[in-house]
Each structure stands twice: as structure tokens, then as C-alpha cells.
């Protein structure tokens, strides 16, 4: 497993856990609460996909 794949898995894990933790604040803060975790989740998926191609 190369470094991009490992970074993708870590990013998706951290982003997913952070997103689930912040969903309870969505009513008060809106997309501010889930913006950064969502970005991490998406970038982790991109890194995972690119890491598997190499």
C-alpha cells in the first residue's frame, strides 16, 4: 500500500468521524459545522482513488 492510499484512508476516516460528530450542530451552525470535515472526506476519497491507480 503506497503513501497516497494510506493518506486517503486516514483522511476518509478522520473526515467521516468528524462529520458524524458535527452533524448534531448542523441545526445551529448550518454548513459551517460540516464544511471542513466534508472537504477532508472528499479529498481522502480522491487520494484513495489516485493511490490505487499508481
Amino acid at each position: 500500500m503506497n503513501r497516497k492510499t494510506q493518506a486517503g484512508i486516514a483522511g476518509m476516516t478522520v473526515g467521516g468521524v468528524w462529520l458524524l460528530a458535527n452533524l448534531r450542530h448542523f441545526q445551529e451552525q448550518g454548513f459551517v459545522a460540516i464544511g471542513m470535515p466534508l472537504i477532508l472526506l472528499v479529498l481522502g476519497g480522491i487520494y484513495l482513488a489516485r493511490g490505487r491507480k499508481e
Side-chain angles (χ1 to χ4, degrees):
M1 193 178 325
N2 62 18
R3 291 191 184 266
K4 276 193 178 181
T5 304
Q6 291 174 349
I9 292 170
M12 288 183 68
T13 303
V14 170
V17 169
W18 192 7
L19 181 65
L20 289 175
N22 282 357
L23 280 177
R24 61 185 165 172
H25 301 293
F26 185 72
Q27 293 293 332
E28 301 124 16
Q29 297 177 357
F31 287 106
V32 174
I34 64 168
M36 190 62 160
L38 200 57
I39 290 171
L40 281 176
L41 187 65
V42 169
L43 288 177
I46 291 170
Y47 262 62
L48 183 66
R50 285 191 179 178
R52 288 188 177 178
K53 286 182 182 177
E54 293 179 355

